[in-house]
Structure formats: C-alpha cells, structure tokens
Amino acid sequence: MVDYNNVMVSWPDDKKFGLILTHDVDRVRKTYQYMTHFFRTRRFYHIKSFFSNKNPYWTFKQIMDIENNLNVKSTFFFLNERKKINFFRLKTYELSLGRYRIKDPAVTKIIKELNNNGWEIGLHGSFDSYCDINLLRKEKNELEKIVGKPVIGIRQHYLNLSIPTTWFYQQKVGFKYDASFGMTRELGFRDQIKNIFMPDKINMYVIPTVIMDAVLFSTSRTYKDAWDKVITIIKEVKQNGGVLCIVWHTERFNNNEFPEQGQFYIDLINYCRQEGAWIGPCYEAIKYIKR
Ligand SMILES: [Zn+2]
C-alpha cells in the first residue's frame, strides 16, 4: 500500500466523474511483429503487411480524426528508449527492437503537430528511467526541446515504479503528475484507489491508470466480454466521483492489426459522455484539483 493524501477534484459543469484519455507511443513502426503476430494469430495479413509500403503502426492521423470528431483531446506519452540488446536476455529484444528515435524528423514533426493542435505531450519514461534520476532529467529535457515548452507529465514504460523513489525523482526533475500507478496484468484499481492523489511528502499528483488496452483485450474473449468489464468499472468510478484514466497504445487504432479496438475506444468515450463524464487529457484534469 502507498502512503498518500486525498485531493478534491471538482469537475466543471456538474460533471459526475472524469475520463482521462492517454496514448503510450511505444513504437511507431511495425518490425518484428510481422512474424510474432503471424505466429500468434495465424493471420496471413501480418505477412502480407510486411510487403506493403504503408506503415501500419503510424496511426496519428486516425487518432486525431477520431478525437476531433468526438470533440475531445488526449495526452500522448512519447518514449525515448535507448536500451541496447543483450543477446542473453529475451526482455531486451522486446525493448530494443522496433524502438524509435525521438529525434527522427518524422517523429519530431508529429510531436509538434499534436502539440500545436491542442494535444498534450508527455514523457513515456524509458524502461530503466524509473530508478535513474539523470536519465529522467535527460529524457525530459530532450522532449522539451522538441515541444518548446515544459513537459509536466510522465508515465513510465511498463508502469515501472519504485514507490516512493520514482515519484521523488520525477518531482525533483520538475514533473507535476505521474500516470504510472496501475496494474500491468489486471484491469481496475490498484490498491482500490479511484481518484487522483498526492503521495505522502511528495509535491506531485498521481493519476491512477485503470484500463490498459493490452490487458483488456488479452483477458477478454469477445467485444461484449470486454465491454461488460469496462461498464462495471465505469459504474464504480461514477459512484465514487473518481477518475478513469485509460491507455490506448497508438498502434491499436489500425483496424487491420487490432480489429475493433479503435471502435471500442470511441464507444467507451461516447458511453462515458452519456453517463455525465468530464473528458480530457491529464494536464487539464489536474487543473480541477482544489488545493
Ligand atoms: Zn510503454
């Protein structure tokens, strides 16, 4: 359990609860997944897509269109991973293969475009950064050079957290909120916390992450099954006047790659709106905290 202090969030216009929209940008190109996803799903599509010159994981335009149509904005957490492959450790393959350079001109360009059009840019702290204050500072600075303004929010890759050390480091380098508090194998509320909080003795907000796309779809057999789980969670958040922070990875918006997962995101937003939710990115949500 964490030591923390409750904060009061008062949503505008009598909204009942908050829906916070986020995207982790883990990868922007499909690489080894041409093979791994083919073997996992047996769908020939993955082999075929290798020979196409389209990049199935570059979905920024789709996401912008979807959110413009819904009249909402979200937070994009960009990763700056440099971990080298250690041939004897399988985990490093996943981290290293298919990573992107944040200074890649196409990536820089899309970060600026999102920022200029009202989306929030946050840092997706690299795998080891949760326990390395210098790495956190470096990644924050590099991203700020691209964005041209302070980056106030972070989510650690794989939700890596060493509590409370990581929060202490994040606050020290100037973050105003962290969105890494959540579970990587389960949906729902870590330690039953349903609202934004402040860790004890740390002057920074924590936005709990409740629903992650990968967890939702790997533990649900059908759309209906996934939907039922999500409705149960929304009800609980609404009853508590809490916040529901969700993560949809950018590549999930390609319908050929991840059928129905982009539509699920749209349906979820529409449902929460009907239920009286305030909907927006992290940085706006924390503006409604009463001090
Ligand atoms: Zn990640």
Side-chain angles (χ1 to χ4, degrees), residues 112-156:
K112 287 182 172 155
E113 191 180 337
L114 287 163
N115 177 58
N116 291 338
N117 288 289
W119 277 273
E120 181 186 15
I121 305 299
L123 179 67
H124 198 28
S126 68
F127 192 80
D128 293 325
S129 69
Y130 74 102
C131 58
D132 184 340
I133 191 168
N134 294 322
L135 200 51
L136 274 179
R137 188 179 286 118
K138 190 171 189 283
E139 290 173 13
K140 185 173 189 284
N141 288 342
E142 284 181 354
L143 187 57
E144 284 176 345
K145 271 196 193 119
I146 297 167
V147 184
K149 68 179 190 194
V151 168
I152 64 162
I154 182 165
R155 174 180 288 129
Q156 302 290 151

Side-chain angles (χ1 to χ4, degrees), residues 24 26 124 157-158 249:
D24 291 356
D26 283 1
H124 198 28
H157 197 25
Y158 286 81
H249 289 77

Side-chain angles (χ1 to χ4, degrees), residues 151-254:
V151 168
I152 64 162
I154 182 165
R155 174 180 288 129
Q156 302 290 151
H157 197 25
Y158 286 81
L159 306 185
N160 285 345
L161 268 185
S162 167
I163 296 173
T165 314
T166 309
W167 288 331
F168 180 72
Y169 289 165
Q170 291 170 342
Q171 174 217 256
K172 193 111 179 129
V173 302
F175 287 108
K176 300 280 182 266
Y177 74 83
D178 171 57
S180 316
F181 187 74
M183 301 181 288
T184 52
R185 289 169 201 278
E186 271 176 74
L187 299 170
F189 314 99
R190 181 167 170 183
D191 294 353
Q192 285 308 308
I193 300 177
K194 300 182 182 76
N195 217 324
I196 299 174
F197 65 89
M198 255 180 146
D200 202 28
K201 301 189 181 75
I202 293 171
N203 190 22
M204 190 183 72
Y205 299 114
V206 172
I207 300 175
T209 288
V210 182
I211 297 175
M212 195 192 281
D213 51 6
V215 179
L216 177 63
F217 296 112
S218 67
T219 58
S220 306
R221 283 166 294 111
T222 60
Y223 186 101
K224 171 82 169 61
D225 187 16
W227 185 252
D228 290 345
K229 287 176 189 163
V230 164
I231 297 296
T232 307
I233 291 172
I234 294 171
K235 283 203 176 115
E236 240 184 301
V237 174
K238 190 178 168 182
Q239 268 166 18
N240 289 276
V243 295
L244 173 60
C245 179
I246 65 171
V247 195
W248 247 245
H249 289 77
T250 45
E251 71 268 19
R252 301 260 167 178
F253 287 86
N254 183 321

Side-chain angles (χ1 to χ4, degrees), residues 15-17 234-235 238 269-277:
K15 298 289 191 206
K16 308 278 183 285
F17 65 104
I234 294 171
K235 283 203 176 115
K238 190 178 168 182
I269 292 173
N270 282 326
Y271 181 83
C272 286
R273 182 168 275 157
Q274 273 172 32
E275 291 294 303

